[in-house]
Amino acid sequence: LSRRRERQVPMAVEQGSPVKEPLYQGNGPLGLREAMESCPRKEVDNFQEKLVEENFYLMTESGEQGRLPVLLLKLNDTAPERKPVVVILHSSYKCKEWLRPLLEAYASRGYIAVAIDSRYHGERASSKTTYIEALNSAWRNGDTMPFIFDTVWDLIKLGDYLSAREDVDPSRIGITGESLGGMHAWFAAFVDTRYSVVVPIIGVQGFQWAIDNDKWQARVDSIKPLFEEARIDSGKSEIDAEVVKKVTI
């Protein structure tokens, strides 16, 4: 991962502000919003008044996508003890604000709860097609790795930052995510053992197994414009296992 970075940049933190109108790509997340809002919080008196919200950016590498947006929630606690952290990662086309009900649920239980925008999502996107455009560009040019590995690099840098915070217990940093976020969590925990617990949700997939067992269709449907681009380049009339292998293996 480090060899693909043109130039290493020193760790820097830039103050941010709450996002008032989060950008959701694709068809949007409205169908599942009620389920997210139902995430149960622990009963805490005056919870909203005690909730501390931090919005900031970490500089993980040079360039526009090297500016990592972070949302952190915790309870205002004067006790000096270091706290456990849970990092929660969103799925394709969503953003860190989508995860706020989960962040609040963990914060109510004494965790420092953290979410980021993955590459070309949320504050790192400029339109509803930014992510797909980045995937297509990577297929054509091979100059970036927007699907998994560039965000994994961000998570390594996030680990640097969290481990250095005075309110964090660096031995108790866990990570989870859904779908695309689950893949990011899985790979990040593999390369960075500071993530001592990893719980990916529908996020672990063997692409070769999927091809061998004709189980690749759901993954293709989630980012179909990319596979259509590969199909055209391959001179195929439809997406098949050979096209999928060229993209994923």
Side-chain angles (χ1 to χ4, degrees):
L1 291 175
S2 61
R3 288 198 300 270
R4 293 185 64 89
R5 313 298 131 181
E6 292 183 0
R7 180 171 59 87
Q8 298 288 321
V9 299
M11 173 64 70
V13 182
E14 178 183 318
Q15 186 63 38
S17 57
V19 176
K20 295 181 179 179
E21 296 184 5
L23 175 60
Y24 297 105
Q25 299 183 58
N27 295 323
L30 300 180
L32 299 174
R33 192 65 207 173
E34 288 186 5
M36 285 297 295
E37 294 289 356
S38 69
C39 294
R41 294 198 306 255
K42 182 181 178 181
E43 290 295 329
V44 176
D45 292 337
N46 302 315
F47 174 74
Q48 292 299 334
E49 288 75 13
K50 294 178 179 178
L51 188 65
V52 175
E53 176 175 341
E54 297 181 20
N55 292 272
F56 55 91
Y57 304 93
L58 296 181
M59 305 305 132
T60 65
E61 64 176 293
S62 59
E64 182 181 353
Q65 287 296 317
R67 190 168 179 259
L68 173 65
V70 182
L71 170 60
L72 182 151
L73 299 183
K74 64 176 184 176
L75 288 181
N76 186 11
D77 188 351
T78 57
E81 67 182 46
R82 293 175 177 262
K83 299 182 181 299
V85 177
V86 59
V87 177
I88 308 174
L89 305 173
H90 63 77
S91 56
S92 299
Y93 309 116
K94 296 186 178 70
C95 58
K96 62 187 184 303
E97 285 73 29
W98 167 258
L99 298 167
R100 188 179 184 95
L102 274 176
L103 299 178
E104 290 190 359
Y106 276 96
S108 73
R109 291 166 171 81
Y111 290 86
I112 295 174
V114 179
I116 67 168
D117 287 329
S118 66
R119 295 286 175 120
Y120 304 97
H121 287 76
E123 293 186 77
R124 304 168 102 174
S126 58
S127 73
K128 287 184 173 292
T129 59
T130 296
Y131 178 50
I132 287 297
E133 290 168 2
L135 293 177
N136 288 344
S137 176
W139 165 256
R140 291 192 300 268
N141 304 315
D143 52 347
T144 60
M145 305 179 78
F147 183 41
I148 295 177
F149 293 121
D150 285 343
T151 295
V152 171
W153 174 259
D154 293 333
L155 291 168
I156 294 171
K157 294 299 183 179
L158 179 66
D160 292 341
Y161 169 79
L162 292 173
S163 298
R165 281 182 63 118
E166 294 183 353
D167 56 353
V168 166
D169 181 347
S171 69
R172 294 193 293 166
I173 302 177
I175 189 167
T176 184
E178 176 195 0
S179 192
L180 178 64
M183 286 187 274
H184 291 155
W186 184 254
F187 278 94
F190 178 81
V191 299
D192 192 337
T193 56
R194 290 174 300 187
Y195 293 110
S196 56
V197 176
V198 56
V199 186
I201 303 169
I202 59 168
V204 180
Q205 177 178 351
F207 292 109
Q208 186 63 62
W209 182 92
I211 292 169
D212 293 342
N213 292 275
D214 194 32
K215 299 293 184 182
W216 45 263
Q217 292 80 4
R219 171 53 58 204
V220 167
D221 287 343
S222 70
I223 46 176
K224 197 164 187 177
L226 167 62
F227 289 93
E228 286 290 355
E229 189 91 0
R231 175 191 66 78
I232 294 169
D233 290 349
S234 301
K236 298 271 190 174
S237 60
E238 61 182 21
I239 298 170
D240 59 14
E242 182 181 347
V243 172
V244 175
K245 186 172 184 177
K246 286 183 177 181
V247 175
T248 60
I249 303 299

